[in-house]
Amino acid sequence: MAKDVKPTRKNLMAIEDRIELSERGHDTLEQKRDGLIMEFMDILDQAQDVRSEVSENYETAQRKIDMARAMEGDVAVRGAAAALKEHPEITTQSKNIMGVVVPQIESSKVQKSLDERGYGLLGSSARIDEAADAYEELLEKIILAAEVETAMKKMLTEIETTKRRVNALEFTLLPTLYENQEYIEQKLEEQEREEIFRMKKIKAKKEEEEAAEEAEEAAAEVAAAETEEPEPAD
C-alpha cells in the first residue's frame, strides 16, 4: 500500500497530521474502553445481586401463593387478583454513562396498602395479603432487574464496539500510516541525495568548462604574442 502513495512533502505532512490525530484518537478510545469496563463491572455486580434477589423473591412468592391456594382455594385467590383496579405504572427515562445512553425505569403503584388492592378487608385473608405483598416485592425486583440487565447489555455492546475501534487503529490504520511515512521519508532522502549528486556533477562540469575556456583564452593569448612582428630598431 505504501507504494501507492506519492512521495511528496505535501503527502508526508498530511500523513504526519493523520498519525497525530489517530494516536490521540487511539489514546482517547483506550481510556473510554477502560472506563466502560470499570462501569460494566460495577453494573455486573449489581446485576448478579438483583438476579439473586429476584430468584429468592420468586421462591417466596410461590410459597405464599401456594399456601393461599391451599388454605383459601383458587376461587378466593383469583377473586382477590381480579379485584385489582389500579395497575402498576412504569415510565422510562435515560441516563448517560461514559457516552452510553441506558434506560432508567421508574415505577409507581407497585406496592399497595390493603384498601388499595380492591378486594377489601372482608374479602381477603392474611395468607392472600402475604401472597400479594410477596408478588409486589417480586415485581419491583423484576423492574430493577430489567433496568440493570438492559444497561449491562448496552454497556457490553459499546465496549465491544470501542475495542474494535481501538484494534482497528492499533493494528491496521496506524501501522499503515507509519509504513507510508517511512516510505515517503526514504524516497525523499533518495531524491535529495540524487539532487545533491546531480548538482555536484553540474558544478564539476561547469568548472571543467570554465577551466577549458580559460585554457583556450591563455593559448590564444600566447599564439597572438608569438605572431606579433618585432618593431625595427632605429
Side-chain angles (χ1 to χ4, degrees):
M1 184 176 179
K3 294 182 180 179
D4 296 333
V5 181
K6 292 184 178 181
T8 62
R9 295 285 180 187
K10 182 178 180 181
N11 284 342
L12 179 60
M13 293 176 62
I15 288 175
E16 288 174 345
D17 290 341
R18 287 191 66 190
I19 289 175
E20 182 180 357
L21 181 62
S22 299
E23 287 176 340
R24 287 205 306 266
H26 178 266
D27 293 341
T28 301
L29 287 173
E30 273 194 329
Q31 293 174 4
K32 180 181 179 180
R33 179 200 60 194
D34 295 342
L36 286 171
I37 290 174
M38 293 179 63
E39 292 288 345
F40 175 79
M41 296 305 296
D42 292 339
I43 294 175
L44 180 60
D45 291 338
Q46 186 181 0
Q48 291 173 339
D49 293 339
V50 172
R51 288 172 184 171
S52 178
E53 291 172 357
V54 168
S55 179
E56 292 175 2
N57 283 27
Y58 176 75
E59 292 177 0
T60 300
Q62 281 295 103
R63 288 197 304 268
K64 297 290 186 181
I65 197 70
D66 289 343
M67 181 63 70
R69 284 172 176 168
M71 301 301 295
E72 308 298 334
D74 282 346
V75 174
V77 172
R78 291 178 182 276
L84 183 65
K85 295 181 180 179
E86 291 189 354
H87 296 280
E89 295 180 357
I90 297 176
T91 58
T92 58
Q93 297 180 349
S94 61
K95 59 182 178 180
N96 192 303
I97 301 177
M98 296 288 295
V100 183
V101 179
V102 299
Q104 189 170 16
I105 303 176
E106 301 289 342
S107 61
S108 60
K109 301 180 181 179
V110 176
Q111 290 191 330
K112 300 178 176 62
S113 60
L114 293 177
D115 57 335
E116 291 175 333
R117 288 175 181 160
Y119 50 68
L121 296 176
L122 298 178
S124 177
S125 68
R127 296 175 186 84
I128 292 178
D129 293 338
E130 290 175 359
D133 289 337
Y135 270 94
E136 288 170 355
E137 291 178 6
L138 174 61
L139 180 57
E140 285 197 331
K141 293 298 180 183
I142 290 174
I143 293 171
L144 178 59
E147 176 182 323
V148 174
E149 293 282 346
T150 303
M152 188 173 63
K153 290 179 181 178
K154 285 183 172 290
M155 293 289 289
L156 185 59
T157 300
E158 187 65 22
I159 288 172
E160 292 299 324
T161 300
T162 305
K163 285 174 63 177
R164 285 196 297 270
R165 291 174 179 172
V166 170
N167 290 339
L169 286 170
E170 185 172 349
F171 299 110
T172 302
L173 181 59
L174 281 171
T176 300
L177 292 174
Y178 293 144
E179 182 183 359
N180 291 342
Q181 181 187 32
E182 183 179 2
Y183 170 76
I184 293 177
E185 287 175 345
Q186 289 178 349
K187 287 296 182 180
L188 290 176
E189 288 176 1
E190 290 177 6
Q191 292 174 6
E192 186 175 354
R193 287 195 297 268
E194 291 174 356
E195 181 66 16
I196 292 173
F197 180 73
R198 189 179 67 84
M199 294 300 295
K200 285 182 177 180
K201 287 188 66 175
I202 292 174
K203 183 178 179 181
K205 186 176 181 180
K206 186 176 181 181
E207 289 175 349
E208 289 177 359
E209 291 175 350
E210 290 176 350
E213 289 177 358
E214 290 176 357
E216 289 178 0
E217 291 176 358
E221 289 178 358
V222 171
E226 290 177 350
T227 56
E228 288 181 357
E229 294 182 359
E231 295 181 358
D234 294 335

